[in-house]
Amino acid sequence: MSRMIVLQVNQLYKSFIADEILSGVKLEVQHRDRVALVGRNGAGKSTLLKIIAGQLSYDAGDIIIPKGVQVGYLEQHAGLNSTLSIWDEMMTIFEPLLSQEKALRSLEQQMADPAVYDNSDMYTKIMSEYDQLQHDFKDAGGYQYESDTRSVLHGMQFYPEDYEKPISSLSGGQRTRLALAKLLLSKPDLLILDEPTNHLDIETLSWLENYLKGYEGAILIVSHDRYFLDQVVSIVYEVSRHRVTKYTGNYSAYLDEKAKNYERDMKMFERQQDEKAKLEDFIQKNIARASTTKMAQSRRKMLERTEWMDSPEGDEKSASFGFTIERQSGNDVLSIDALAVGYGDKQISSGITLRTFREDRLALVGPNGVGKSTLLKTIVKDLSPLAGEIRYGTNVQIGYYDQEQAKLSSNKSVLKELWDEWPLMNEKDVRSVLGRFLFSGDDVEKIVSDLSGGEKARLALAKLMLEKNNFLILDEPTNHLDLDSKEVLENALIDYPGTLLFVSHDRYFINRIATKVVELSGEGSFEYLGDYDYYLEKKQELYEIAQMKAASQSQLQSTASEKTSTSTIDKEAKKRERQIRRTIEELEVNMQKASVEIARLEEALCDSEIFTDHEKITQLQNELAIVKEQHEVIEMEWLELNEELENIIL
């Protein structure tokens, strides 16, 4: 399939009763495109996907999907319901292939039949039919569908011993993973995924990223996982204020572009507002004077005719909060030795050792079911340790954010829920705190148990903020939050003066927050200094070292004569080290020059005098893109050389 359009949405409108959801939406997906749909919770992303997938009606506009284009859609929380086993359910996708296979076996039997074998006309006829069918079978993937199935099931953490399990015996999370596996195996031309990363641990996420990168068709995806979006997509459509805006690049590129556009629009808006105010002032002063009334009237017409810009801020508010502490803890915050955790008699993980110091930002990672949440619950004393020791430092005050928000199930209103815990606050201050977490007007009267996942998460964070603890323990704090709220939470935690210990599957979040990563397994814990990317790098390095050690062990028997002279290697290494150091110095000078040039061009783009000069803007933007690319290339080379230098020194 060449670069053909697999989906076109033109001027789409959708309302629910009186509320407009989507207005004049335009969207295009071509073959092999990787497109993300982003926006606030409730902006209309899932609605738009449902309309495209044919599950919801729309009021006006066109959705064009060319004939023969297969669309596969996985909605949020969709789980597979079936009476079949895992393997048999997957095989239902390949029914045409299975019937072709049966036909091939039947023809093979006929060809082996002496009655056919001895009849040359009949044999030639069946042989030609067999050749054609075999060719069609191969083209349709007949010789690889079983290995494809095994590969995708393995990626979704289903192994050969699981294949015969009935689907009815699986958990909700497993059924969701299986629904995704089935959709991937059916290989539609347009794959539509609504929050596919829910219920997936980091290992499965990495597998899915790699799978989608090589996917043959087009992908349209809604996800709150920013790392995932950065890895997979190259086009972003933002749903905001009922409209859709297109950005080219991954999620990080979209954020950069959006920030630039906002800055530009804000300046234009402010300039327009000044003009408008001057016109209004002139009209007011001169409309009543006989000598100037005509001029004032013509200005009034001008005022009415002009299409004034709406404020770029619009009505979309972001939450705004920060975490503070009442008093600082001692330097030693938490010490854990030889700890075993679990429920009752059931041990999940043992041999855990952990040291946490003041202002550490410690991320806890590991596969699902390894005991990360159990460890946090043990630290906050919701569970008893099965073995080992936990010691808390002086003046440590713990604030705990529970993944399940289990403690938020009351029949109180949102206002009461907060006020009852802080009765000495006056109502105005309580409402002000809730307002910062996007509970305004009637929202504060909502019953807590009726809140959505995102609302409960924001309420739990509001409570946490008021506690002013110096040690925050957070279990999946970004679950249920939209992209904007995640960013606000990140910034609040970056500025937090206390200590952090958190569990998260959000790799973008870990990268921004963590200064240490602790990997938990069933046999204990292992600490890495650095963020998530550093942890991946280090883990790969340790794996390679282990392999090299294993290889060198097997070569220990080789003769001494085969060994290269150590002194020669040392000389070579010293020479290479000098070369690298010289090149690094040169690259640093060039990087500095590029940074100065980038700053100059960005400043020039903000100059109010060129806002109307589109040619000049385009020229500057092109120059900026070239310099940024050069900076990136230099930076990559610099990083690679530094890595090589480290290895030589080690």
Side-chain angles (χ1 to χ4, degrees):
M1 207 184 278
S2 61
R3 290 291 290 171
M4 66 169 269
I5 293 171
V6 294
L7 169 70
Q8 248 183 324
V9 178
N10 288 327
Q11 296 299 326
L12 189 83
Y13 290 83
K14 173 72 181 172
S15 299
F16 285 129
I17 312 165
D19 292 339
E20 190 174 46
I21 307 292
L22 299 166
S23 169
V25 166
K26 288 172 94 171
L27 184 140
E28 184 181 282
V29 180
Q30 295 192 16
H31 177 59
R32 295 275 309 178
D33 274 354
R34 274 85 177 102
V35 181
L37 213 52
V38 303
R40 297 283 174 86
N41 285 347
K45 304 185 295 293
S46 294
T47 304
L48 181 53
L49 292 191
K50 281 190 169 111
I51 291 171
I52 293 167
Q55 295 200 356
L56 262 186
S57 63
Y58 49 99
D59 306 330
D62 295 303
I63 291 176
I64 303 158
I65 297 171
K67 206 172 169 190
V69 167
Q70 282 179 301
V71 177
Y73 168 57
L74 184 75
E75 58 185 311
Q76 210 171 334
H77 315 301
L80 208 52
N81 288 317
S82 168
T83 53
L84 299 173
S85 70
I86 289 176
W87 185 262
D88 289 348
E89 180 63 36
M90 296 299 112
M91 287 302 106
T92 60
I93 305 163
F94 306 109
E95 270 166 6
L97 282 175
L98 291 165
S99 59
Q100 278 184 323
E101 202 165 11
K102 270 185 191 158
L104 281 170
R105 297 296 86 83
S106 163
L107 289 170
E108 282 166 2
Q109 278 175 338
Q110 286 179 51
M111 285 179 334
D113 184 347
V116 174
Y117 192 76
D118 294 336
N119 184 334
S120 66
D121 287 351
M122 196 185 282
Y123 187 78
T124 307
K125 182 174 172 286
I126 288 174
M127 194 68 188
S128 122
E129 194 181 331
Y130 182 80
D131 282 350
Q132 185 57 51
L133 188 56
Q134 198 177 26
H135 181 266
D136 294 347
F137 183 69
K138 184 175 177 256
D139 276 3
Y143 294 109
Q144 64 188 65
Y145 72 92
E146 286 195 348
S147 67
D148 284 355
T149 304
R150 280 194 287 273
S151 163
V152 169
L153 284 175
H154 187 276
M156 286 288 137
Q157 296 190 352
F158 295 101
Y159 306 108
E161 58 269 27
D162 304 319
Y163 291 172
E164 295 311 312
K165 282 182 185 169
I167 289 169
S168 53
S169 69
L170 301 179
S171 70
Q174 287 172 317
R175 287 185 196 196
T176 303
R177 294 208 306 275
L178 205 57
L180 178 55
K182 190 178 174 185
L183 188 59
L184 294 177
L185 283 167
S186 63
K187 295 182 179 168
D189 304 309
L190 174 61
L191 185 61
I192 302 177
L193 302 172
D194 193 356
E195 292 287 359
T197 60
N198 289 354
H199 308 289
L200 302 185
D201 60 20
I202 288 178
E203 196 181 333
T204 314
L205 272 173
S206 301
W207 178 87
L208 183 60
E209 276 159 19
N210 289 323
Y211 186 87
L212 292 178
K213 281 177 192 171
Y215 188 71
E216 284 300 316
I219 301 167
L220 176 61
I221 199 163
V222 167
S223 175
H224 284 156
D225 188 321
R226 296 151 302 173
Y227 196 98
F228 177 78
L229 291 178
D230 263 354
Q231 293 291 313
V232 175
V233 308
S234 52
I235 297 165
V236 175
Y237 281 94
E238 181 190 50
V239 185
S240 169
R241 297 187 227 160
H242 321 306
R243 299 188 174 277
V244 166
T245 313
K246 182 180 179 182
Y247 296 84
T248 304
N250 64 5
Y251 182 76
S252 295
Y254 144 75
L255 282 185
D256 289 347
E257 190 64 27
K258 193 182 170 187
K260 279 181 202 155
N261 291 353
Y262 175 78
E263 214 166 292
R264 186 196 65 213
D265 291 350
M266 206 62 202
K267 283 187 174 170
M268 283 175 73
F269 175 71
E270 283 165 2
R271 209 163 54 236
Q272 274 203 1
Q273 290 300 300
D274 284 350
E275 282 175 32
K276 193 177 175 185
K278 280 175 188 162
L279 280 173
E280 285 167 344
D281 189 47
F282 183 89
I283 296 161
Q284 207 175 350
K285 282 178 180 168
N286 294 287
I287 198 82
R289 286 189 198 157
S291 59
T292 55
T293 185
K294 280 221 168 74
M295 284 165 73
Q297 281 168 343
S298 83
R299 303 253 169 126
R300 184 189 278 164
K301 277 182 188 158
M302 188 175 154
L303 189 69
E304 286 163 0
R305 275 201 309 270
T306 305
E307 275 194 32
W308 300 100
M309 257 179 93
D310 291 330
S311 168
E313 284 178 321
D315 53 3
E316 286 202 341
K317 281 189 184 154
S318 285
S320 61
F321 55 92
F323 295 103
T324 54
I325 59 175
E326 253 173 3
R327 58 177 178 166
Q328 199 54 276
S329 68
N331 192 45
D332 292 340
V333 173
L334 182 72
S335 294
I336 293 176
D337 287 295
L339 186 71
V341 297
Y343 292 87
D345 300 333
K346 190 188 172 202
Q347 185 175 294
I348 296 174
S349 182
S350 62
I352 304 166
T353 299
L354 199 69
R355 294 284 179 276
T356 309
F357 303 103
R358 189 171 65 214
E359 293 185 22
D360 271 356
R361 307 258 192 271
L362 205 145
L364 200 58
V365 302
N368 283 348
V370 81
K372 300 187 293 294
S373 296
T374 312
L375 173 58
L376 297 193
K377 284 187 172 114
T378 309
I379 293 170
V380 300
K381 301 179 182 175
D382 280 0
L383 291 172
S384 302
L386 302 184
E389 189 180 17
I390 303 176
R391 291 186 307 281
Y392 305 89
T394 49
N395 295 330
V396 168
Q397 298 162 315
I398 294 178
Y400 175 49
Y401 177 96
D402 178 14
Q403 179 185 358
E404 304 300 328
Q405 281 107 38
K407 298 182 177 88
L408 286 179
S409 56
S410 73
N411 290 322
K412 297 178 190 173
S413 69
V414 168
L415 182 67
K416 279 289 242 189
E417 179 73 23
L418 208 63
W419 207 357
D420 284 357
E421 280 195 35
W422 306 93
L424 297 178
M425 285 175 76
N426 62 48
E427 185 177 349
K428 183 171 157 285
D429 290 342
V430 177
R431 283 179 178 272
S432 163
V433 167
L434 287 169
R436 287 165 68 185
F437 289 84
L438 303 183
F439 293 103
S440 53
D442 295 341
D443 291 342
V444 300
E445 299 305 331
K446 285 182 179 173
I447 303 298
V448 171
S449 54
D450 295 343
L451 296 178
S452 70
E455 289 169 325
K456 277 187 179 174
R458 294 205 306 274
L459 181 56
L461 288 169
K463 290 174 111 174
L464 202 59
M465 183 188 89
L466 287 172
E467 287 173 9
K468 298 185 177 175
N469 297 303
N470 54 30
F471 183 24
L472 293 184
I473 295 181
L474 313 173
D475 193 0
E476 294 284 2
T478 60
N479 271 9
H480 308 295
L481 293 181
D482 60 29
L483 293 167
D484 275 15
S485 302
K486 280 184 184 181
E487 204 168 327
V488 173
L489 175 62
E490 274 158 25
N491 294 334
L493 291 175
I494 287 167
D495 295 337
Y496 171 62
T499 309
L500 276 178
L501 169 63
F502 65 94
V503 167
S504 180
H505 283 146
D506 187 329
R507 295 152 302 168
Y508 195 97
F509 179 80
I510 301 173
N511 263 346
R512 281 203 72 194
I513 306 289
T515 54
K516 288 179 185 172
V517 174
V518 171
E519 184 178 34
L520 198 61
S521 67
E523 291 80 50
S525 54
F526 195 88
E527 189 176 292
Y528 300 84
L529 287 171
D531 60 10
Y532 181 75
D533 283 345
Y534 177 80
Y535 150 73
L536 280 188
E537 206 176 291
K538 228 44 198 168
K539 208 173 158 184
Q540 183 62 28
E541 216 171 276
L542 289 169
Y543 173 71
E544 284 167 7
I545 289 168
Q547 284 203 316
M548 278 163 69
K549 274 185 182 165
S552 64
Q553 288 290 323
S554 65
Q555 287 173 359
L556 276 177
Q557 292 81 16
S558 64
T559 58
S561 62
E562 288 171 340
K563 290 179 184 175
T564 316
S565 159
T566 311
S567 62
T568 315
I569 292 174
D570 280 352
K571 277 178 189 169
E572 286 295 318
K574 285 275 182 263
K575 188 181 169 188
R576 181 63 185 145
E577 186 186 337
R578 284 196 298 277
Q579 282 175 338
I580 291 173
R581 287 192 189 279
R582 276 202 303 276
T583 313
I584 285 174
E585 279 173 21
E586 286 168 22
L587 289 171
E588 281 171 351
V589 170
N590 292 337
M591 259 187 340
Q592 181 59 31
K593 283 180 184 168
S595 296
V596 168
E597 183 62 6
I598 288 167
R600 186 188 70 75
L601 289 164
E602 283 177 343
E603 202 174 313
L605 276 166
C606 293
D607 189 347
S608 56
E609 288 176 16
I610 69 156
F611 276 133
T612 51
D613 190 344
H614 294 296
E615 276 184 25
K616 184 74 174 162
I617 286 175
T618 307
Q619 185 199 332
L620 286 169
Q621 280 173 334
N622 290 341
E623 282 179 37
L624 184 60
I626 291 164
V627 179
K628 277 189 171 175
E629 202 173 321
Q630 286 170 346
H631 188 281
E632 216 168 285
V633 169
I634 297 168
E635 198 172 24
M636 282 304 294
E637 196 179 338
W638 182 84
L639 283 167
E640 281 166 11
L641 285 172
N642 269 296
E643 206 170 302
E644 193 182 333
L645 187 62
E646 260 181 51
N647 291 336
I648 290 173
I649 295 167
L650 284 171

